Amino acid sequence: MQAHLRRHHPNIDISGTRKKPQKQETFPTAFRMKLQANADRAQTITKAIGVFMALDMRPFSVVENDGFTHLLSVLEPRYQLPSRPHFSQNVLPQLYSEVRAKLVEDLSNAKFIALTTDGWTSRATQSFMTITAHYITDNWVIKNPVLQTRAVYESHTSDLSEILQAAVAEWKIERENATIPVTTDNAKNIVNAVEVAGFSPNIRCFAHTVNLASQKGMGVNQMSRLLGRVRKVVTFFHRSTTAAAVLKDKQEMLQLPPHKLIQDVSTRWNSSYDMLERYLEQQAAVFSALTDRSIKRNIKDIVTLSDEDVKLAEDIIQVLKPMKMVATLLSTEQLPTVSMIMPLKHTILESMKVSDTDTTVVKDVKHGIVSDFINRYPESDSILVQFFHMSTALDPHFKSLPFLDETMCSNIFNSLMEKILEYHPQQEQLDMAAISGDPPAKKAPISELFGKLFPVEPSTPTPKSPSQMVKEEVVCYRQVPTLPVESNPLAWWKDNESQFPHVANNICPHGGHCYSTEIKPLT
């Protein structure tokens, strides 16, 4: 423009039009400016740090760690990290309030709610009690939020029952005409606490029950001696670096997997199973290592297994294999439910039947497992057994109930029909109104013209009683093919809820075993 004016309009003075260009702010200068604490970016980062602390269970002191502060300075140099008290007094309480409000709303919309409770001890030897809720959303998604963890200073029945009752009242879990099932371990104090609190049925943790029964079987005298011998060998190789190195060389020489020997834990029977199984896998390398000159002189009170001991260990591994599979299933299953208890119990008892080829020790082990297992879920507890059978019948995986006779199956489904009619009378009346109360449809013109010439007898549906409708629905449910065990039962119910609305309305989720010691934060 200035060149144009000079050439074509020389009489115009343009000497004052040129301005000094403003200095543009550089990137380094912009990034040196700190974000205000109330800026959206700063608040987003602060909240994200709070979520990080909650989800990963990090201490508040993490914001004072050099590595963490360096990471933030690289990711966002303008961000000023708040102090540790700011997170403990403001950020985390605000997050808790938000999550709690959302959870209270979700719980209020749940038809049925079940609880799981478990006691545990921290590294500081402080006892705690954690309570977890289980419910199914309208979209057939099971939720398992941890409601609370409370310190337990006295493990008396009255104290534990008060904690349970307070949790139910605080989270508004009670429902009209519905009981609150509670899963606990087999400790006498918590079992009594559930009874005193008035909740039922009390479901003993199945994984804990399997552990106790297996320990009972492995407590047989000859089994204890066998485990003691193996334990001494394993302890020797764990404590001696020289022996461990020799064992590794022997494994390479014998072309065995380079696996370490497993040390068992007294409170976990499956660790004893794993110890025996690993020893049998590595017994050739173990024997060769124990006879090596470099470590033989250091061996004291160690006796290798005889052929009879090895045969006994192999037999015990076969006997306990179903128990091991059950324990693995319960620990890896995403949605372990109470409907699995009776099928698993039947499978375990079938595998523990004594055969003519069993040795005396094997018979004693099986007898110990069966006697302990049966006492945990006695048939005399009719309310609990009925609850188990009803839960199994409502699971499309196991609804055929093959471990029961036809009379028992019929009784269970008859009880289901009675329960539907007892707890959902209003729904039945609505269904009857839908059938018998529809207004007559308006006639089409063609029907008006030819109706008299070609009359058709009207077909009036015969009204059905509520009991007839429920009976037909339950019979139809029993006749549909069972669901493959690897399929998701909740997805099946989501697709078939409209076909079996009354049956679906009686489904209550419940954890089949306690897992609240591994506390997963709610998101």
Side-chain angles (χ1 to χ4, degrees):
M1 178 62 72
Q2 289 178 353
H4 171 81
L5 291 175
R6 282 195 297 268
R7 286 197 302 270
H8 301 285
H9 307 282
N11 57 330
I12 297 178
D13 183 15
I14 59 173
S15 59
T17 59
R18 178 171 295 183
K19 295 182 179 180
K20 186 177 181 180
Q22 295 181 353
K23 185 177 181 181
Q24 191 173 20
E25 193 174 32
T26 63
F27 278 106
T29 304
F31 274 95
R32 279 197 297 269
M33 296 177 61
K34 296 296 183 182
L35 290 172
Q36 295 296 323
N38 58 352
D40 292 341
R41 173 68 174 164
Q43 291 182 346
T44 301
I45 296 175
T46 301
K47 185 175 182 179
I49 296 174
V51 173
F52 156 71
M53 289 178 175
L55 289 181
D56 291 352
M57 294 187 180
R58 308 307 301 169
F60 296 117
S61 59
V62 71
V63 297
E64 299 173 350
N65 294 346
D66 294 338
F68 186 77
T69 55
H70 172 71
L71 174 66
L72 287 181
S73 66
V74 173
L75 295 178
E76 180 53 272
R78 300 174 298 166
Y79 176 71
Q80 291 180 297
L81 185 62
S83 64
R84 171 179 172 174
H86 179 73
F87 286 95
S88 62
Q89 299 172 12
N90 299 308
V91 179
L92 266 296
Q94 178 63 30
L95 281 175
Y96 174 78
S97 299
E98 294 175 3
V99 175
R100 179 187 172 85
K102 180 178 181 299
L103 178 55
V104 169
E105 181 182 359
D106 291 344
L107 289 173
S108 65
N109 296 327
K111 296 178 181 178
F112 303 107
I113 300 176
L115 298 178
T116 295
T117 180
D118 193 21
W120 54 281
T121 304
S122 68
R123 293 180 180 178
T125 65
Q126 172 65 57
S127 296
F128 293 92
M129 181 170 160
T130 297
I131 299 177
T132 306
H134 310 267
Y135 61 94
I136 296 176
T137 66
D138 293 336
N139 200 33
W140 288 98
V141 177
I142 192 168
K143 298 290 187 178
N144 307 286
V146 175
L147 297 183
Q148 62 186 43
T149 296
R150 295 288 183 266
V152 179
Y153 302 102
E154 296 290 341
S155 59
H156 299 302
T157 295
S158 58
D159 298 315
L160 298 179
S161 64
E162 289 175 2
I163 294 176
L164 282 171
Q165 290 172 327
V168 170
E170 179 182 354
W171 296 95
K172 300 178 177 59
I173 292 175
E174 287 186 321
R175 299 290 184 270
E176 186 178 359
N177 296 328
T179 59
I180 302 177
V182 182
T183 295
T184 67
D185 58 22
N186 289 268
K188 193 69 174 177
N189 56 353
I190 187 62
V191 171
N192 293 336
V194 173
E195 183 179 355
V196 171
F199 306 140
S200 67
N202 176 210
I203 303 165
R204 313 292 178 87
C205 170
F206 193 75
H208 189 244
T209 300
V210 169
N211 184 55
L212 293 177
S214 302
Q215 286 182 336
K216 185 75 172 181
M218 300 186 79
V220 175
N221 289 334
Q222 286 187 260
M223 273 302 303
S224 297
R225 288 196 294 269
L226 174 64
L227 291 174
R229 292 177 181 177
V230 176
R231 195 175 293 118
K232 283 185 178 181
V233 174
V234 173
T235 302
F236 172 73
F237 282 100
H238 274 224
R239 292 181 176 178
S240 173
T241 55
T242 303
V246 172
L247 178 63
K248 186 176 181 180
D249 292 339
K250 300 300 182 182
Q251 288 173 336
E252 294 178 359
M253 181 183 68
L254 297 171
Q255 297 182 352
L256 292 174
H259 296 157
K260 292 183 178 181
L261 298 180
I262 298 175
Q263 183 77 60
D264 65 340
V265 181
S266 58
T267 57
R268 295 289 183 266
W269 78 270
N270 51 338
S271 65
S272 299
Y273 176 96
D274 294 336
M275 182 180 70
L276 277 181
E277 189 177 46
R278 180 60 54 82
Y279 183 90
L280 292 177
E281 176 194 86
Q282 299 291 335
Q283 62 176 321
V286 170
F287 181 79
S288 180
L290 291 175
T291 57
D292 191 274
R293 292 182 178 180
S294 59
I295 64 174
K296 189 174 181 179
R297 61 179 178 272
N298 298 323
I299 298 175
K300 296 180 180 180
D301 301 327
I302 293 181
V303 180
T304 56
L305 300 189
S306 63
D307 293 340
E308 292 77 9
D309 291 334
V310 172
K311 180 63 169 62
L312 174 59
E314 292 173 345
D315 292 341
I316 294 301
I317 289 295
Q318 291 301 316
V319 170
L320 297 177
K321 191 172 183 179
M323 306 286 283
K324 173 67 174 180
M325 293 176 64
V326 169
T328 303
L329 171 67
L330 293 177
S331 62
T332 57
E333 184 71 17
Q334 293 292 326
L335 301 175
T337 60
V338 71
S339 64
M340 300 172 64
I341 289 181
M342 296 310 285
L344 289 176
K345 176 185 175 182
H346 173 75
T347 301
I348 290 175
L349 294 180
E350 283 292 313
S351 67
M352 293 299 153
K353 286 185 176 179
V354 177
S355 65
D356 297 335
T357 58
D358 289 341
T359 63
T360 303
V361 179
V362 170
K363 290 180 181 179
D364 291 341
V365 171
K366 288 184 176 181
H367 176 73
I369 292 174
V370 170
S371 61
D372 187 89
F373 207 89
I374 291 180
N375 292 332
R376 302 291 177 180
Y377 303 111
E379 294 293 334
S380 58
D381 191 347
S382 58
I383 296 178
L384 180 62
V385 172
Q386 178 74 3
F387 181 83
F388 283 157
H389 287 322
M390 191 80 72
S391 301
T392 306
L394 290 171
D395 191 324
H397 291 142
F398 316 119
K399 65 184 181 66
S400 60
L401 305 175
F403 47 87
L404 299 177
D405 56 41
E406 183 57 34
T407 303
M408 282 289 295
C409 291
S410 299
N411 291 338
I412 292 168
F413 283 100
N414 288 337
S415 299
L416 175 61
M417 289 186 282
E418 293 174 1
K419 184 178 179 182
I420 292 174
L421 294 173
E422 178 182 358
Y423 291 122
H424 305 283
Q426 296 179 353
Q427 181 65 36
E428 298 297 341
Q429 295 172 5
L430 292 175
D431 292 340
M432 287 293 296
I435 293 178
S436 59
D438 293 338
K442 185 178 180 181
K443 292 184 179 181
I446 192 171
S447 178
E448 293 285 351
L449 289 173
F450 297 111
K452 295 181 179 179
L453 185 61
F454 303 100
V456 177
E457 290 293 331
S459 58
T460 304
T462 304
K464 298 179 181 178
S465 66
S467 59
Q468 288 177 316
M469 295 174 59
V470 171
K471 182 177 181 180
E472 290 181 3
E473 182 178 322
V474 172
V475 169
C476 184
Y477 169 70
R478 293 187 64 182
Q479 291 176 347
V480 297
T482 56
L483 190 68
V485 292
E486 66 274 7
S487 303
N488 186 347
L490 294 180
W492 186 92
W493 273 114
K494 181 179 179 181
D495 296 336
N496 295 273
E497 180 184 10
S498 58
Q499 186 178 357
F500 311 110
H502 302 96
V503 178
N505 207 29
N506 282 271
I507 294 178
C508 173
H510 202 276
H513 69 278
C514 304
Y515 52 87
S516 55
T517 48
E518 182 185 353
I519 305 173
K520 298 180 180 179
L522 177 67
T523 56

